[in-house]
Amino acid sequence: MFSRLDTHYHFDFIDEGERLPFLRACTKRGLRLVAQTLLPSCFHEDLEWAANARWDAGAELHWPTWSLGLHPWYIEEAQIGEELELFRSGLEKTRFIGEVGLDFAPRRLEAVPAQLQVEVFSEVVTMSCEAAVRGGVHGEETQKSSPLPHVLSIHAVRAASTALDLLEGSDALGRGLVPVFHRFSGTSDDLTRLIRMGGYISINPAMLTSKRGRAYIRQVPEERLLVETDLPAVSGASKEREGEAKSGERHGEELDETLNRILNSVEELRKKDLLEGLDKTQARLYRGF
């Protein structure tokens, strides 16, 4: 069932020794996940890990689909040229892109200026649109059926309008690049622009805690809704330092519990069963992995 899909999970926050137990826990529960990454170098490292881990995996697992990211928090001017080259090469290996975007919160701007963020995100969108037009690694499949879109998972804090401007200016939807705003926090006007553009929002627990987030969840057309956990909250290394490291099994339990809680809360807000529509939406964007 596609309703058991977490569209935004930080798989590389899990300690390597717990990754296979985590995937076994997910498989046992019928869970699938899109593994977002923070940098293109992390994406390539995850692919290498997965290729090696398959030898030790044993029984068939629900492997993640790997998403190619360049998160605004992790932009470093000295390394950005190399990371953008890795991003370009990564587009030959996936049609899922994220986590990428903009963060104009004051403390983030102190670390990465707005102009640099915009330049990087603009380059990411341009390269992703070019890959979508080419068809990427799914080129043969698009010849046999309807084209599979490239899916862009966007982080936008105090920057939704700027992100939308860049997407509209690049004709992203017209070129096969579908924007998904993860934990949407823009204005009502921004939300209207996103929906008219053909974009989606991905609901995580944080959206359920604010009045504005709950209002948006009620307003968005059913066929434009996705769900995500945005877990784990911090990296495995950070948890180890805090003495709170979780087992792979516990990570799987946490994902299952959180996803169920989101689904139940959204159904309560919208006064309607979500699963049938969600299955169709997720299958439309994420089929084939």
Side-chain angles (χ1 to χ4, degrees):
M1 290 177 59
F2 267 91
S3 56
R4 304 290 287 160
L5 172 69
D6 181 351
T7 64
H8 195 107
Y9 192 89
H10 289 285
F11 180 83
D12 48 5
F13 282 9
I14 297 178
D15 181 77
E16 285 195 14
E18 296 298 333
R19 290 181 179 182
L20 285 178
F22 167 64
L23 291 179
R24 292 187 184 103
C26 289
T27 302
K28 179 175 66 176
R29 293 168 171 79
L31 299 166
R32 306 297 294 265
L33 57 97
V34 180
Q36 305 289 328
T37 51
L38 302 176
L39 285 169
S41 52
C42 297
F43 169 82
H44 289 281
E45 288 167 5
D46 282 353
L47 290 188
E48 183 178 1
W49 173 84
N52 293 329
R54 289 179 187 272
W55 293 98
D56 301 318
E60 183 178 350
L61 297 180
H62 289 174
W63 290 88
T65 188
W66 307 103
S67 191
L68 173 65
L70 210 173
H71 196 290
W73 294 2
Y74 293 84
I75 295 171
E76 294 185 18
E77 194 163 7
Q79 281 79 43
I80 193 59
E82 180 180 349
E83 291 290 354
L84 285 170
E85 284 305 310
L86 289 171
F87 187 91
R88 185 182 300 277
S89 65
L91 288 168
E92 301 302 320
K93 303 177 185 298
T94 186
R95 65 181 179 89
F96 301 103
I97 300 133
E99 184 174 355
V100 300
L102 303 167
D103 196 318
F104 291 171
R107 68 190 182 106
R108 300 301 178 188
L109 291 174
E110 289 178 8
V112 187
Q115 182 177 349
L116 178 58
Q117 289 190 41
V118 169
E119 289 173 357
V120 171
F121 184 54
S122 179
E123 184 66 18
V124 161
V125 170
T126 297
M127 287 192 285
S128 300
C129 285
E130 291 169 353
V133 170
R134 291 194 304 269
V137 293
H138 297 267
E140 292 183 5
E141 189 168 352
T142 63
Q143 300 302 315
K144 300 175 184 177
S145 60
S146 60
L148 294 172
H150 280 53
V151 180
L152 188 73
S153 183
I154 299 172
H155 171 110
V157 174
R158 302 191 182 186
S161 180
T162 303
L164 289 165
D165 288 344
L166 286 168
L167 293 166
E168 289 175 343
S170 66
D171 187 27
L173 262 293
R175 299 166 73 185
L177 183 64
V178 176
V180 177
F181 275 64
H182 125 86
R183 187 184 171 180
F184 184 83
S185 60
T187 67
S188 180
D189 287 345
D190 292 332
L191 182 62
T192 298
R193 284 179 69 191
L194 175 65
I195 299 306
R196 286 178 177 171
M197 179 191 295
Y200 296 71
I201 69 166
S202 185
I203 303 164
N204 71 7
M207 284 193 70
L208 294 164
T209 64
S210 73
K211 182 177 180 180
R212 176 189 285 187
R214 292 191 296 272
Y216 288 168
I217 290 167
R218 293 188 188 99
Q219 293 169 18
V220 173
E222 178 179 322
E223 67 274 12
R224 302 294 182 81
L225 288 173
L226 297 162
V227 293
E228 60 166 79
T229 67
D230 200 22
L231 290 172
V234 296
S235 71
S238 297
K239 285 188 176 292
E240 287 173 4
R241 287 194 297 270
E242 298 167 5
E244 301 176 358
K246 292 180 181 177
S247 68
E249 175 67 26
R250 180 59 193 134
H251 277 297
E253 291 174 359
E254 181 182 47
L255 170 54
D256 196 6
E257 292 164 0
T258 304
L259 198 59
N260 285 336
R261 186 166 66 251
I262 295 167
L263 291 168
N264 290 336
S265 297
V266 174
E267 287 182 351
E268 183 176 342
L269 283 170
R270 294 179 66 90
K271 308 299 183 185
K272 183 179 180 181
D273 181 82
L274 186 68
L275 297 186
E276 183 178 354
L278 186 61
D279 277 351
K280 292 177 180 177
T281 301
Q282 293 180 154
R284 185 166 65 249
L285 296 184
Y286 296 97
R287 71 188 187 274
F289 77 83

